[in-house]
Amino acid sequence: MESSSFLPTDHLSLPDQPGVYRYFNEENELIYVGKAKSLKKRVGSYFNKNSGVNLKTRKMVKEIRRIEITLVNTEFDALLLENNLIKKSHTKYNILLRDDKTYPYLLLTKENFPRIYPTRKMIPKKGTYFGPFASVRAMNTVLDLIRELFTIRTCKLDLSPYKVAEGKYKVCLEYHIGNCQGPCVGLQKEEAYLKDVEQAKHILKGNLGIAKSYFKQEMQLHAENLEYEKAHKMKEKLDSLEKYQAKSLVASPSINNLDVCTIVSDEKNAFVNYMRVKNGALITSKNVELKKRLDESDEELLLTALIRLQDQFQSDAEEVLLNVELTEPIEGLNIFVPKIGDKKKLIELSVKNAFFYKKEKALLSGLNQNKKDRVIRQLQQDLSLPDIPDHIECFDNSNIQGTNPVASMVCFLNGKPAVKEYRHYHIKTVVGPDDFASMKEVVGRRYKRLMEENKSLPKLIVIDGGKGQLSSAVEALKELGVYGQMPIIGIAKRLEEIYFPGDSYPIHIDKKSESLRLLQRIRDEAHRFAITFHRNVRSKNAFGTQLTAIPGIGKSTADNLLSHFRSVKKIYEASEEEIAAVVGTSRARKLMDWKEKNKGAD
């Protein structure tokens, strides 16, 4: 297969053949991988129509700068290639298949006298992996069955011929209780051992019929040779295998090798259940969530999930059952939507699992939401507040070395920052560095404004500081006549002490408490917001002073520049034409000369 590259404007010249297309953006990053029965029609559909195309798709199309295609023989080959390409590159717009579990595998090692043991890490050179299993319990059930039927070693000894010949090993307890035949001391030949391993592989693959036939033949052979004790052992193993199959049976034993894949979806996500069935036995069941990226249809989502899951579970299914009709059959993929019978029952079972998974995810999302409620309810309890503090406002001052005094107020709603409600304050009525007076001013200004605008007051006010700052804030509330309508506390940084008005002794909340962490987060956010604002003010004032020192540029010009460009950095980066549009050509020229002289200066 060879790849070809095209510009978006060349999409009409694409071949009318199956293949995979890849979209790249201006930075040459791969942003989307797609498959098509006809590359010309499919790629063209992105560029030829606007109506009926969702906003996400339009946004993606605007980013496309280059297209690469790879031709394949069939649409099924395109599905497989698309899956491989998506696995290698986490593209921006492709369907995201979400599964937060690391599933266990059984590893058949590549060594003398191979072992079978569970693992969650796949290192191909170690041997052959079977799975993944949907749960540890399912994996252990299969592993226990294999150990019951076959004498496969569990030790980690190096059983290469020369090591065994050295005679340094001794048989362990597993040998004495009959779970191992002692290959470590040469009591079992590797040829006989590998016969057991071969039958174990059939069971791991779900081919129970082959293993059953093997035990039947061995039983009959021992009976013919009058080895009745050995024949009885084979019968016990055959019975164990049949009991295991009976427990796993979900449909008619006549149902052979097939996969079942069903989907239920909502506006943002889809939930897929995948099952593997062999000889009527359900050997794998897995649920996954798909996050929609481009408003994909259920058909497209289901096919994407199916190919990825078949790849993950190394499926060799002869037939696939779906609960969604395909618009067109896919060559190379034997898909069937059953209407009656045992196969219909399998679809119903799979859909039931998909619905349950969707419900489980919704419940988990609700629990996460309840966690936020739990934290603010805990805060209400810890502080003995009359109402749930779902609206908290926190104040902090900043005046490093007594210059440019400012303050900040941050707002948290339902335990989360409400950034749009944050406020900065220039200190207007206080001369010099006076934290107490500054706190009184900004608290008074904030709640006077809320009262004038008839807006709701917070359920809790937090003051970043100790008793002094808290007392100042209380004075402001008293002057407004709202003291007592809003609980107010002060939080001191050093020991995380919490002060209440009129109480000389602070309280301490458990250091591991979620409610204390919330208060710390709110306090730290107010401090960060105040410090950032203070730095900007100092920078603007310093820059403004430098500007007014330039002949022909006064305070009004400096203010206009700062008002228009919003930051000192943007003034430095602005061109002469951009500056001239604000303050005129003459002043722009003087400013550019000054910038040139001061370039690189601290």
Side-chain angles (χ1 to χ4, degrees), residues 480-520:
L480 291 172
V482 293
Y483 179 61
Q485 296 181 28
M486 298 172 283
I488 181 169
I489 62 171
I491 179 168
K493 289 187 181 71
R494 193 169 64 89
L495 297 174
E496 305 295 16
E497 297 172 328
I498 296 173
Y499 289 90
F500 283 84
D503 194 338
S504 301
Y505 299 99
I507 68 167
H508 294 88
I509 299 178
D510 183 356
K511 292 291 190 290
K512 296 180 180 179
S513 168
E514 290 179 318
S515 58
L516 179 62
R517 286 201 293 271
L518 175 60
L519 284 177
Q520 290 170 329

Side-chain angles (χ1 to χ4, degrees), residues 428-442:
K428 298 179 178 179
T429 62
V430 181
V431 178
D434 187 337
D435 276 350
F436 299 157
S438 297
M439 184 61 73
K440 179 181 178 181
E441 178 188 324
V442 296

Side-chain angles (χ1 to χ4, degrees), residues 20-70:
V20 170
Y21 55 93
R22 299 177 289 283
Y23 292 153
F24 294 83
N25 64 11
E26 198 165 5
E27 288 75 36
N28 207 34
E29 294 174 336
L30 180 62
I31 59 173
Y32 186 74
V33 178
K35 79 282 185 186
K37 189 174 182 179
S38 166
L39 286 167
K40 183 173 185 177
K41 292 177 182 176
R42 179 60 176 151
V43 175
S45 69
Y46 286 97
F47 300 95
N48 294 337
K49 62 179 183 179
N50 288 318
S51 60
V53 178
N54 64 77
L55 292 174
K56 291 179 184 177
T57 304
R58 291 179 191 172
K59 183 176 183 294
M60 180 188 71
V61 171
K62 288 180 181 178
E63 294 182 34
I64 299 170
R65 293 295 178 272
R66 184 168 65 85
I67 303 170
E68 280 189 3
I69 66 163
T70 303

